[in-house]
């Protein structure tokens, strides 16, 4: 019996050793199996269907942000779509999605990607106005204005335009008490109906010089006010994000024919021109407020299609800051990061004003001196720029959110700024 004890001990030791090695081996296999490998792909229909991928050209990670059937469209570049979740632990992004009952508003949790349908009324909804403080989304169905609460989904009627006017609302002031918008004539509306494409109506509306009025609607009292009227195409209406009495608007039309960007104080009715053109065919446009309300940024070209700047006008000092861009870096829309330090651009195809030979990219820009240093984030060669990407920085400043049609429908994506 004593003879077998050492041998038995050896067998037990070998057994434990084998089990330990097997356990480590299984753990290694488990880690390998559980590791999620993100595919490196050309940004296209195939990559969009994959859901998450690394852009093969730029090396940046892209994810499809909204997973639901139908078209999903993020907000226009200067309309804020973000608010904190009800528990305050994440951010929500509000967007518009197609349904069998017309487009509806939804929210997506940027952390969990959970989608929640906010509105349910039948009919197409115009406008995309978010009140982050009141937690309501404002919109129009035909001639009436409504608001729906983001969390409770309770809908309230706000205002109905009278039958003898054609009105719209497009912005909400900083204390979320007033909606801003415009009245147009029936003659102008007929031009839009007969010429539905921008190439058809753009010059015609400008040349017609029909009366337009800037208006406000008090959300609580339902009081309607006409702020300012002019025989001009008043458009691109935006309230300041910080000053509830400051409304920005533009003289729309061919940019090289108009001094476009204006502010009006809705109480004093004082009008201020933001940028005066200085040379023939100079253009300034696609204006937007910085989040702190101090600066209005815009695309400046002196003259049109030749030199390109992203320009900011400081409202207190009147000083202009100009950052130069290369032709291929020009973008239809720009936006600014939450910390006000960097910018994003959505590029453009060769048919745009810059006529860029290689401009179909999403860009991240870092100011250096009087120029912007660009990084390419997304190769947009498979995107049709008839749908403008309309870039937004995510609330944490780590991603650029945009819309695109890589897969044949309109969908929402986010690209990481850092590789």
């Amino acid at each position: 019996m004593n003879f077998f004890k050492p041998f038995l001990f050896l067998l037990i030791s070998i057994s434990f050793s084998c089990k330990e090695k097997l356990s480590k081996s299984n753990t290694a296999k488990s880690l390998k199996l559980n590791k999620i490998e993100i595919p490196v792909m050309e940004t296209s229909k195939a990559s969009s269907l994959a859901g998450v991928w690394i852009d093969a050209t730029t090396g940046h990670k892209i994810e499809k942000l909204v997973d639901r059937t139908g078209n999903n469209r993020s907000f226009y570049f200067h309309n804020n779509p973000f608010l904190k979740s009800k528990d305050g632990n994440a951010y929500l992004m509000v967007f518009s999605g197609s349904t069998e009952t017309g487009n509806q508003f939804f929210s997506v949790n940027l952390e969990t990607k959970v989608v929640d349908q906010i509105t349910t009324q039948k009919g197409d909804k115009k406008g995309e106005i978010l009140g982050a403080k009141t937690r309501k989304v404002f919109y129009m169905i035909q001639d009436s204005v409504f608001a729906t609460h983001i969390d409770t989904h309770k809908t309230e009627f706000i205002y109905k335009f009278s039958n003898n006017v054609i009105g719209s609302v497009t912005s909400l002031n900083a204390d979320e008490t007033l909606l801003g918008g415009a009245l147009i004539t029936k003659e102008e509306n007929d031009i839009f109906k007969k010429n539905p494409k921008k190439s058809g109506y753009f010059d015609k509306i400008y040349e017609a010089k029909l009366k337009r009025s800037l208006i406000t609607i008090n959300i609580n009292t339902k009081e309607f006010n006409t702020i300012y009227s002019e025989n001009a195409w008043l458009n691109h209406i935006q309230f300041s994000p910080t000053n509830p009495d400051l409304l920005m608007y533009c003289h729309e039309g061919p940019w090289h024919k108009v001094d476009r960007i204006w502010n009006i104080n809705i109480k004093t009715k004082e009008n201020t021109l933001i940028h005066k053109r200085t040379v023939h065919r100079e253009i300034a446009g696609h204006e937007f407020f910085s989040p702190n309300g101090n600066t209005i940024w815009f695309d400046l070209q002196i003259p049109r299609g030749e030199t390109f700047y992203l320009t900011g006008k400081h409202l207190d000092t009147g000083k202009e800051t100009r950052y130069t861009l290369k032709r291929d870096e020009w973008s239809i829309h720009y936006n600014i990061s939450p910390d006000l330090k960097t910018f994003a651009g959505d590029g453009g195809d060769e048919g745009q004003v810059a006529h860029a030979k290689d401009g179909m990219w999403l860009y991240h820009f870092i100011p250096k001196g009087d120029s912007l240093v660009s990084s390419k984030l997304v190769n947009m060669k498979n995107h049709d720029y008839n749908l403008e990407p309309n870039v937004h920085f995510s609330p944490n400043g780590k991603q650029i959110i945009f819309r695109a049609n890589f897969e044949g429908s309109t969908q929402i994506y986010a690209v990481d700024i850092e590789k």
Side-chain angles (χ1 to χ4, degrees):
M1 194 75 178
N2 291 336
F3 173 79
F4 288 102
K5 279 185 179 180
F7 182 68
L8 184 61
F9 178 78
L10 181 61
L11 286 175
I12 293 171
S13 298
I14 292 171
S15 175
F16 275 116
S17 176
C18 289
K19 285 181 180 180
E20 186 179 1
K21 288 179 181 179
L22 186 61
S23 176
K24 287 181 179 179
S25 175
N26 285 337
T27 301
K29 286 180 181 178
S30 176
L31 288 172
K32 189 175 181 180
L33 289 172
N34 289 334
K35 184 178 179 182
I36 299 172
E37 302 235 358
I38 301 175
V40 178
M41 306 176 71
E42 178 182 281
T43 295
S44 63
K45 181 176 182 177
S47 66
S48 181
L49 296 177
V52 180
W53 70 98
I54 305 294
D55 186 295
T57 311
T58 70
H60 289 265
K61 188 186 83 171
I62 304 169
E63 62 178 322
K64 188 174 178 179
L65 207 53
V66 174
D67 184 16
R68 65 170 296 276
T69 303
N71 289 291
N72 299 290
R73 184 182 291 257
S74 55
F75 279 16
Y76 192 50
F77 79 105
H78 66 57
N79 293 336
N80 172 51
F82 305 112
L83 76 162
K84 280 286 188 75
S85 59
K86 187 177 180 180
D87 60 13
N89 293 328
Y91 272 95
L92 306 178
M93 186 186 77
V94 178
F95 66 94
S96 175
S98 64
T99 74
E100 293 180 353
T101 58
N103 70 305
Q104 303 289 354
F105 285 104
F106 299 80
S107 68
V108 58
N109 186 304
L110 296 181
E111 293 294 327
T112 66
K113 306 303 184 292
V114 171
V115 171
D116 179 42
Q117 183 169 338
I118 300 168
T119 61
T120 56
Q121 308 100 300
K122 291 182 179 180
D124 284 328
K125 293 152 192 67
K126 296 181 293 182
E128 40 186 42
I129 308 168
L130 174 63
K133 298 174 184 175
T134 53
R135 303 187 68 78
K136 294 176 182 178
V137 59
F138 297 84
Y139 53 92
M140 290 185 65
I141 300 177
Q142 297 181 343
D143 58 1
S144 296
V145 184
F146 299 89
T148 301
H149 198 279
I150 303 296
D151 307 311
T152 67
H153 304 168
K154 180 181 178 181
T155 296
E156 59 184 302
F157 168 77
I158 301 295
Y159 187 83
K160 182 183 184 300
F161 287 97
S162 61
N163 293 331
N164 61 340
V165 301
I166 300 170
S168 62
V169 292
T170 56
S171 190
L172 180 68
N173 74 339
D175 60 14
E176 301 189 7
T177 59
L178 296 174
L179 290 165
L183 295 183
I184 71 172
T185 62
K186 291 185 177 180
E187 292 90 340
E188 182 177 331
N189 196 47
D190 287 340
I191 295 175
F192 280 119
K193 285 182 177 179
K194 293 175 183 177
N195 305 274
K197 291 186 177 181
K198 186 175 181 179
S199 58
Y201 69 71
F202 199 73
D203 284 334
K204 288 182 173 66
I205 297 291
Y206 169 73
E207 297 292 347
K209 299 291 190 292
L210 296 168
K211 181 180 178 181
R212 270 206 178 205
S213 299
L214 301 177
I215 58 100
T216 60
I217 298 170
N218 189 298
I219 293 167
N220 300 314
T221 67
K222 318 304 180 189
E223 181 184 5
F224 173 95
N225 274 313
T226 299
I227 303 303
Y228 175 73
S229 298
E230 188 179 346
N231 283 3
W233 185 3
L234 309 180
N235 202 24
H236 224 237
I237 298 162
Q238 306 169 58
F239 269 111
S240 161
T242 54
N243 183 346
D245 298 328
L246 190 63
L247 184 68
M248 178 167 60
Y249 67 96
C250 81
H251 283 88
E252 189 68 272
W255 290 9
H256 60 281
K257 295 181 179 180
V258 295
D259 284 324
R260 177 180 161 101
I261 310 167
W262 295 77
N263 277 351
I264 184 169
N265 183 301
I266 63 173
K267 286 185 176 177
T268 67
K269 309 301 189 294
E270 180 185 1
N271 272 294
T272 305
L273 177 62
I274 299 303
H275 177 81
K276 177 71 177 175
R277 290 176 301 136
T278 58
V279 302
H280 179 58
R281 292 183 63 80
E282 178 177 337
I283 67 172
H286 275 164
E287 55 282 350
F288 63 98
F289 280 101
S290 61
N292 61 8
N294 289 344
T295 304
I296 292 174
W297 292 95
F298 53 93
D299 169 16
L300 176 65
Q301 299 174 35
I302 309 175
R304 169 181 168 150
E306 294 190 27
T307 59
F308 305 91
Y309 305 89
L310 177 58
T311 301
K313 174 72 170 285
H314 196 283
L315 297 183
D316 293 332
T317 66
K319 180 184 176 182
E320 275 194 3
T321 300
R322 295 182 184 178
Y323 295 120
T324 60
L325 300 112
K326 298 173 184 175
R327 181 179 299 276
D328 285 343
E329 296 169 338
W330 173 86
S331 296
I332 303 170
H333 308 104
Y334 302 94
N335 222 321
I336 189 169
S337 60
D339 64 6
L340 312 180
K341 293 181 179 179
T342 66
F343 299 91
D346 55 10
D349 61 25
E350 197 171 350
Q352 306 288 341
V353 64
H355 301 297
K357 298 295 184 184
D358 185 26
M360 296 176 68
W361 304 88
L362 292 193
Y363 292 102
H364 181 236
F365 298 109
I366 298 176
K368 185 177 181 181
D370 60 359
S371 301
L372 293 178
V373 178
S374 68
S375 298
K376 293 175 178 177
L377 301 180
V378 183
N379 187 337
M380 300 289 281
K381 72 175 186 178
N382 293 310
H383 170 75
D384 180 356
Y385 267 90
N386 284 319
L387 174 73
E388 297 169 345
N390 283 281
V391 285
H392 291 266
F393 279 88
S394 62
N396 64 10
K398 294 181 178 181
Q399 293 182 309
I400 304 296
I401 295 170
F402 63 101
R403 59 197 189 196
N405 48 29
F406 308 127
E407 59 184 272
S409 60
T410 301
Q411 302 298 336
I412 306 169
Y413 305 89
V415 57
D416 288 358
I417 294 173
E418 297 296 329
K419 291 187 180 182

